[in-house]
Amino acid sequence: MPGTLARWYEEALESESESDGEGEDGTPTGTGTGGVVHLMGKPNKIIYDEVFRMASDGGGGARRTISMENVVAVGDSLEHDVIGAQNAGCDVVFVCGGIHADDLGMDPAALTGDGVGDGAAVPFPPAEAIERVARAHDAAPTYAVPVFKW
């Protein structure tokens, strides 16, 4: 399921023309007044491939090899972040206190900056709840944390 902005573009395109299928990478395409549009975002693997390419460039022209064994993605969306990381072949940390907090029995109102503090006092949702919600989205996070705070 695309994000809010992607859905807006998709709806705008649908009103102007029909989808003409999928591109080589499996992303939906459509034609409208602006030409062909490719909706690319997580969980599409192309996003991860580009990030890995940029990270491999090293910023100063130095090339380095990035092994998937040394990569971990972090996100709160099972549909986008977790499945995207799985598609890219890297481990993923599922942040339970994000968009699925309510589904996991967590109190979203308590998951604000003041309520979270340093995160140490935020209770972990039951493992059974994490497994149930992840299974409902065909996702399998490698790890899970109640919250993620910089």
Side-chain angles (χ1 to χ4, degrees), residues 52-71:
F52 296 138
R53 185 197 63 76
M54 292 168 57
S56 294
D57 285 346
R63 300 280 303 163
R64 59 181 165 230
T65 302
I66 297 177
S67 168
M68 287 298 178
E69 296 170 355
N70 297 322
V71 173

Side-chain angles (χ1 to χ4, degrees), residues 2-16 39:
T4 302
L5 186 58
R7 278 194 304 272
W8 181 83
Y9 280 114
E10 194 172 52
E11 290 169 8
L13 284 173
E14 284 176 1
S15 67
E16 295 178 19
L39 298 177

Side-chain angles (χ1 to χ4, degrees), residues 120-148:
V122 178
F124 218 106
E128 301 81 34
I130 297 169
E131 291 169 7
R132 175 183 44 80
V133 173
R135 202 172 30 254
H137 292 275
D138 292 324
T142 315
Y143 310 100
V145 294
V147 293
F148 185 85

